[in-house]
């Protein structure tokens, strides 16, 4: 199934089911008024949602209407919890010199994760309001999962059963704040403004073989001001999503609707490019001895689209 949310009917929006081709949509009421409602009552409402989704794809829903991503909020406009990992170790190792920090202990065996703000997620085509260009504005392309309630102490095998939806993310960063906040030992705060999401959240079965081993097996194509910036692949994720969920749930219950991010998609092969500016800058310093790429300016735009081998974009675009 594919879900989107319109920014109406309250802070959690109004739930839509979206056709597989992202061309048609239908209001999911009265089955579930909001995506968070559906996640909290998943076993109760999923069969009826699936039946409506099947009818939508078969053109049997009379009140279907064209799907407009520009009208959408984030699939979850707010969430009980947003925890973002750094599951691509290539990115993490490259970023250590960027933050001027020593190597993180057990980095290869224990996931790194921060808890971000989850009260104000951004829609896929929203203009992004940020305070100052001097804050070193950066984008970060990621994948994520949305879970049902996960019990404290869940194993990775248990965690896999709680993955309900997959999402595509732009985890905006203000790099000027990162080094100081990393050194405090308390993690990110001002360095991480509101996170943006592609318009559509999808159930894992929608990806077919492109969802396996707890990883989104797609290229994430990133353009900055219309120029190709990177197309890294999700297969090089060193910690799978089930491992990330188990890490987050080690000492707490994860409420239904909690979102776990992969961290910046990053590949060892330099030809894949990057999904964030900071990574490219570090690579330039390592390979060329000089940083040539600046951060974003007001008026810039970034576009991110995850595509399968046939060119389809199952999540739509962040633009």
């Amino acid at each position: 199934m594919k879900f989107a949310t319109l920014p109406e009917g309250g802070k959690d929006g109004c739930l839509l089911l979206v056709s597989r081709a992202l061309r048609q949509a239908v209001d999911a009421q009265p089955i579930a008024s909001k995506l968070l409602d559906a996640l909290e009552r998943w076993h109760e409402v999923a069969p009826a949602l699936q039946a409506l989704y099947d009818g939508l794809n078969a053109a049997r829903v009379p009140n279907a209407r064209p799907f407009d991503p520009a009208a959408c909020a984030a699939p979850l406009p707010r969430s009980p919890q947003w925890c973002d990992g750094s599951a691509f170790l290539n990115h993490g190792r490259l970023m250590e010199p960027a933050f001027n920090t020593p190597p993180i202990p057990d980095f290869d065996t224990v996931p790194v994760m921060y808890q971000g703000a989850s009260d104000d997620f951004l829609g896929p085509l929203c203009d992004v309001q940020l305070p100052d260009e001097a804050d070193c504005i950066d984008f970060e392309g990621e994948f994520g999962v949305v879970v049902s309630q996960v019990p404290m102490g869940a194993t990775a095998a248990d965690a896999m059963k709680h993955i309900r939806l997959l999402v595509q993310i732009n985890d905006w960063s203000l790099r000027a704040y990162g080094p100081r906040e990393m050194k405090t030992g308390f993690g990110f705060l001002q360095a991480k403004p509101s996170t943006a999401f592609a318009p559509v959240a999808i159930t894992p079965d929608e990806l077919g073989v492109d969802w396996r081993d707890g990883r989104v097996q797609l290229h994430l194509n990133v353009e900055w001001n219309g120029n190709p910036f990177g197309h890294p692949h999700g297969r090089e994720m060193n910690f799978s999503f089930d491992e990330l969920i188990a890490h987050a749930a080690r000492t707490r219950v994860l409420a239904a609707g909690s979102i776990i991010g992969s961290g910046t998609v990053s590949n060892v092969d330099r030809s894949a490019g990057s999904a964030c500016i900071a990574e490219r800058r570090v690579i330039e310093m390592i390979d060329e001895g000089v940083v040539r790429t600046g951060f974003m300016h007001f008026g810039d735009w970034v576009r991110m689209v995850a595509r399968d081998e046939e060119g389809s974009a199952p999540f739509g675009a962040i633009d």
Side-chain angles (χ1 to χ4, degrees), residues 266-277:
S266 179
N267 291 173
V268 173
D269 185 353
R270 297 277 208 263
S271 67
S274 297
C276 76
I277 299 170

Side-chain angles (χ1 to χ4, degrees), residues 52-314:
L52 181 59
Y53 180 67
D54 292 342
L56 180 64
N57 286 309
R60 296 196 306 265
V61 177
N63 57 335
R65 58 182 184 269
F67 176 57
D68 180 11
C72 290
L76 280 168
R78 56 180 181 165
S79 166
Q81 189 162 204
W82 156 233
C83 296
D84 196 21
S86 183
F88 292 84
L89 298 189
N90 180 66
H91 175 75
R93 293 190 181 104
L94 287 170
M95 291 305 292
E96 285 170 358
F99 289 126
N100 193 26
T101 54
I104 298 171
D106 305 314
F107 188 60
D108 292 353
T109 55
V110 179
V112 174
M113 186 173 288
Y114 81 92
Q115 188 175 44
S118 60
D119 59 333
D120 183 35
F121 291 143
L122 302 176
L125 277 72
C126 292
D127 287 338
V128 180
Q129 305 292 327
L130 294 170
D132 195 329
E133 289 185 359
D135 292 339
C136 301
I137 302 166
D138 198 356
F139 48 81
E140 289 194 66
E142 307 186 11
F143 297 114
V145 296
V146 186
V147 298
S148 61
Q149 182 167 301
V150 181
M152 182 172 63
T155 65
D158 292 335
M160 184 66 83
K161 304 170 188 175
H162 293 279
I163 296 174
R164 294 287 176 259
L165 300 170
L166 311 177
V167 290
Q168 181 192 312
I169 297 166
N170 183 356
D171 181 39
W172 288 98
S173 290
L174 301 177
R175 298 298 187 184
Y177 296 105
R180 179 191 175 277
E181 292 187 336
M182 289 286 284
K183 290 175 183 176
T184 66
F186 276 79
F188 296 124
L189 181 68
Q190 292 175 330
K192 291 294 185 178
S194 298
T195 301
F197 288 77
V200 177
I202 68 177
T203 49
D205 60 289
E206 290 291 330
L207 290 188
V209 297
D210 291 328
W211 169 252
R212 62 182 183 276
D213 303 323
R215 294 164 174 84
V216 176
Q217 307 273 347
L218 298 175
H219 287 282
L220 183 56
N221 298 278
V222 180
E223 296 178 7
W224 180 11
N225 291 332
N227 300 309
F229 193 83
H231 56 275
H233 197 281
R235 61 175 165 253
E236 290 189 28
M237 193 172 166
N238 297 83
F239 295 104
S240 60
F241 275 114
D242 46 303
E243 291 174 309
L244 294 181
I245 295 166
H247 177 76
R250 178 66 183 85
T251 59
R252 70 184 72 181
V253 173
L254 303 183
S258 294
I259 304 172
I260 309 295
S262 67
T264 305
V265 180
S266 179
N267 291 173
V268 173
D269 185 353
R270 297 277 208 263
S271 67
S274 297
C276 76
I277 299 170
E279 182 178 294
R280 174 180 280 190
R281 286 166 57 90
V282 172
I283 291 171
E284 288 171 347
M285 177 56 71
I286 293 170
D287 291 355
E288 305 172 36
V290 62
V291 174
R292 294 181 291 101
T293 303
F295 290 105
M296 298 185 78
H297 297 285
F298 293 155
D300 283 7
W301 61 273
V302 60
R303 177 178 173 85
M304 299 180 179
V305 187
R307 294 193 183 276
D308 61 22
E309 295 302 323
E310 284 72 46
S312 296

